[in-house]
Amino acid sequence: MTDALAPTAAPAVIHVVDDDPAFLRSMLFMVEGLGFAPIGYASAEEFLDAHPAPAPQGCCVLLDIRMPRMSGLELQRRLAALGRSLPIVFMTGHGDVDQAVQAMREGAVDFLQKPFREQALLDALNHAVDVGLTAQRNLARRSAAQDLLARLSPRERDVARLLALGLSNKEVARRLEISDHTVHVHRQRITEKTGSGNAADLARLLLRAQPDGLDE
């Protein structure tokens, strides 16, 4: 009796956006041949209407920079304004390199100048998918930290922040004009609600929830 085969991980999803039908078909074929799951869109508007969500196995957008009606750059800006942070790899023509550099300044992961080799495409897509997965993990950690801190009362959050900055119970009591005993009680409740038992744990939790969470 043979062991059951382990399930194969789903391939990363690549959203390919290009207004040239023949080039779009060739890109979908190439991307699939590289081991990804491609989805094609004939325009930036079509991609926006589809509203694709980040795939848990990873995804990115392979986007032509020069298209009629809505350009790739305009789509990038629209996505940023909507808070939809999908990693983007731009495809550019010879005269579009300046635009591609601008796109990277605005958050694009990479750009490929047509015509490009399969290996260059594979490297760019793998990098973009990794960037997207890292962003998804960071977002999940941030959301989990925010959920923990939401369990605290406003006063407990004040105490937690000062403890995370390294203040002792007495120093926290003086700063907040409360008794040492009250600080001790708050500290116990903070530990129970968040699982953070010391200043370092609290500092990590606060910074994970908000990068400037310990700023004065």
Side-chain angles (χ1 to χ4, degrees), residues 49-147:
D49 290 343
H51 202 288
Q57 72 271 29
C59 67
C60 74
V61 183
L62 183 60
L63 176 59
D64 190 23
I65 204 164
R66 187 184 292 275
M67 293 183 289
R69 297 186 301 278
M70 187 188 300
S71 70
L73 278 175
E74 178 59 27
L75 175 58
Q76 179 190 30
R77 290 164 185 156
R78 290 277 194 96
L79 292 173
L82 293 169
R84 291 161 61 183
S85 56
L86 294 169
I88 295 174
V89 175
F90 275 104
M91 298 179 287
T92 73
H94 179 71
D96 300 322
V97 173
D98 288 346
Q99 285 184 297
V101 171
Q102 179 61 34
M104 292 193 68
R105 290 196 184 106
E106 296 184 24
V109 175
D110 205 347
F111 72 91
L112 297 167
Q113 186 172 323
K114 302 175 184 177
F116 44 80
R117 295 175 294 106
E118 280 195 2
Q119 186 61 50
L121 176 62
L122 177 62
D123 292 344
L125 294 181
N126 278 331
H127 176 54
V129 168
D130 286 345
V131 168
L133 286 173
T134 298
Q136 287 183 44
R137 287 191 291 267
N138 289 341
L139 183 61
R141 283 195 290 265
R142 182 174 184 178
S143 179
Q146 290 172 341
D147 288 345

Side-chain angles (χ1 to χ4, degrees), residues 182-205:
T182 300
V183 174
H184 178 72
V185 171
H186 283 318
R187 188 167 196 159
Q188 285 184 316
R189 289 175 180 165
I190 291 166
T191 300
E192 290 168 2
K193 292 178 180 180
T194 68
S196 301
N198 55 48
D201 289 342
L202 281 172
R204 279 191 289 270
L205 179 64

